């Protein structure tokens, strides 16, 4: 069923598991700004999304959505999965852990920004005038949740160097597991910006819900949440409190233990990132 899409330069073909062999020809045939939905051939827990930018398919592999977690997009790119596995390894030292968080955040941001809207612009090349695109609106704003979210900032800034950076200070009380907030600073024109809240771990979801609530109180409207490892409990809690906030994760793990740690997880992200165990 073809639908008009108001975003520029994106063709989205939703399909089941495999990339349909005829899809390249299909994409060639359709005009710009068309959103195509093809029905799944059979029942599955997973559907895949493939994003087409203009006439070429993304060099990244498909992202996966899961009907059980409608707010969640898992980023299945092989490099992301490879690096997440290294991150989980208890033998990975602080220096490498930090580099991996940085690299995974950058790779995830490539996918999480794939639906940003674009405005057409013209530029003068050395030879003639060309039409192109620029990301609409004000500069993107990254909002790391302190401390561990800080580890995701630099990697994303390499991809979006002009992004602004706000900060939300929260720590999880060890006994109640509820977040305690101690700092909040984001740009004042929050309503006009696209926010990416960053935290490697989405465990009970308490910190994420609190961070997004604070951001909304400050006027934030378009908010996405990026984490490396998510627990089902946290995805559900965030989805219930803020159904309008898409969640991107590299892994959806099994469960939480009685101390609120994700299993199998990767341990305490802040401690491993900053060497404070
Ligand atoms: C960790 C993590 C998240 C939070 C997730 O931070 O970085 O912010 O726990 O848990 P939740 O989903 O149950 O709220 P922590 O509170 O350990 O603080 P830190 O980053 O300063 O180490
Ligand atoms: N915070 C972490 O750093 N790790 C977990 O597994 C849960 C919360």
């Amino acid at each position: 069923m073809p639908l008009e899409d108001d975003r520029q330069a994106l063709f989205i073909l939703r399909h089941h598991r495999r990339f349909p062999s005829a899809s390249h020809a299909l994409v060639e045939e359709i005009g710009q700004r068309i959103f195509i939905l093809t029905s799944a051939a059979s029942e599955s827990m997973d559907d895949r999304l493939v994003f087409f930018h203009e006439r070429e398919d993304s060099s990244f592999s498909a992202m996966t959505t899961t009907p059980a977690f409608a707010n969640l997009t898992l980023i299945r790119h092989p490099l992301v999965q490879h690096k997440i596995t290294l991150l989980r390894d208890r033998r990975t030292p602080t220096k490498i852990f930090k580099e991996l968080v940085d690299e995974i955040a950058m790779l995830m941001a490539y996918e999480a920004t794939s639906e940003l809207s674009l405005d057409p612009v013209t530029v003068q090349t050395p030879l003639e005038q060309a039409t192109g695109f620029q990301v609409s609106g004000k500069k993107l704003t990254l909002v790391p949740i302190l401390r561990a979210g800080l580890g995701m900032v630099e990697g994303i800034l390499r991809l979006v160097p002009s992004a602004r950076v706000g900060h939300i200070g929260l720590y999880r009380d060890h006994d109640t597991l509820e977040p305690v907030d101690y700092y909040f600073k984001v740009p004042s024109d929050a309503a006009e910006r696209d926010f990416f809240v960053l935290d490697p771990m989405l465990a009970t979801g308490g910190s994420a819900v609190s961070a997004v609530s604070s951001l909304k109180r400050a006027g934030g409207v378009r908010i996405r949440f990026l984490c490396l490892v998510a627990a089902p409990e946290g995805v559900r809690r965030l989805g219930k409190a803020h159904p309008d906030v898409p969640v991107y994760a590299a892994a959806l793990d099994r469960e939480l233990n009685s101390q609120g740690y994700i299993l199998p997880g990767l341990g305490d992200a802040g401690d491993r990132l900053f060497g404070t165990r």
Side-chain angles (χ1 to χ4, degrees):
M1 181 173 56
L3 299 169
E4 274 291 342
D5 181 28
D6 62 3
R7 282 183 289 270
Q8 294 278 353
L10 273 183
F11 298 116
I12 303 174
L13 183 63
R14 184 173 186 212
H15 65 93
H16 177 70
R17 293 261 173 217
R18 292 189 159 277
F19 193 89
S21 56
S23 57
H24 280 292
L26 184 60
V27 167
E28 284 299 313
E29 275 172 28
I30 57 176
Q32 264 192 322
R33 305 173 64 191
I34 299 284
F35 177 75
I36 312 167
L37 259 177
T38 61
S39 58
S42 59
E43 294 293 314
S44 165
M45 286 299 286
D46 292 340
D47 292 323
R48 290 193 164 196
L49 292 171
V50 173
F51 292 84
F52 294 92
H53 301 264
E54 294 274 300
R55 297 223 160 173
E56 55 183 82
D57 54 309
S58 165
S59 56
F60 273 37
S61 72
M63 295 191 289
T64 306
T65 58
T66 307
F69 299 96
N71 55 336
L72 177 68
T73 298
L74 280 175
I75 295 177
R76 302 280 203 192
H77 190 281
L79 290 179
V80 171
Q81 295 308 313
H82 178 94
K83 288 172 194 289
I84 276 284
T85 307
L86 295 174
L87 205 59
R88 291 187 192 278
D89 190 333
R90 63 184 301 168
R91 297 168 302 179
T92 299
T94 296
K95 175 179 180 293
I96 307 294
F97 191 92
K98 203 180 293 169
E99 289 168 5
L100 287 166
V101 170
D102 174 274
E103 291 163 5
I104 297 166
M106 185 178 71
L107 293 168
M108 290 184 65
Y110 180 83
E111 293 290 15
T113 51
S114 67
E115 288 182 86
L116 290 175
S117 52
L118 295 169
D119 290 328
V121 289
T122 55
V123 289
Q124 196 68 41
T125 78
L127 300 174
E128 62 177 36
Q129 187 166 287
T131 53
F133 300 96
Q134 68 182 19
V135 174
S136 310
K138 297 222 168 186
K139 306 283 184 241
L140 304 187
T141 305
L142 313 181
V143 186
I145 299 179
L146 306 179
R147 290 175 297 171
L150 287 173
M152 299 171 70
V153 172
E154 289 303 319
I156 302 179
L157 281 178
R158 282 205 299 283
L159 208 59
V160 194
S162 60
R164 305 302 191 232
V165 182
H167 293 89
I168 296 181
L170 287 176
Y171 69 87
R172 205 166 66 145
D173 183 281
H174 281 295
D175 298 321
T176 65
L177 299 184
E178 285 305 312
V180 180
D181 59 284
Y182 58 88
Y183 189 75
F184 183 86
K185 184 78 182 174
V186 299
S188 54
D189 49 0
E192 296 160 55
R193 292 179 182 274
D194 282 273
F195 286 99
F196 290 81
V197 178
L198 313 175
D199 194 325
M201 311 305 281
L202 177 59
T204 65
S207 305
V209 168
S210 168
V212 172
S213 298
S214 302
L215 204 44
K216 285 185 175 176
R217 277 195 299 276
V221 183
R222 292 188 307 279
I223 302 170
R224 296 168 174 84
F225 188 86
L226 262 69
C227 61
L228 306 191
V229 181
E233 293 89 334
V235 179
R236 271 191 219 104
R237 183 164 168 187
L238 183 53
K240 201 165 170 205
H242 299 294
D244 56 317
V245 173
V247 178
Y248 296 85
L252 177 64
D253 276 10
R254 194 177 69 249
E255 60 184 346
L256 297 177
N257 71 11
S258 56
Q259 284 86 46
Y261 278 90
I262 300 175
L263 298 175
L266 49 76
D268 188 306
D271 282 347
R272 293 195 66 188
L273 199 49
F274 297 107
T276 50
R277 192 183 299 267

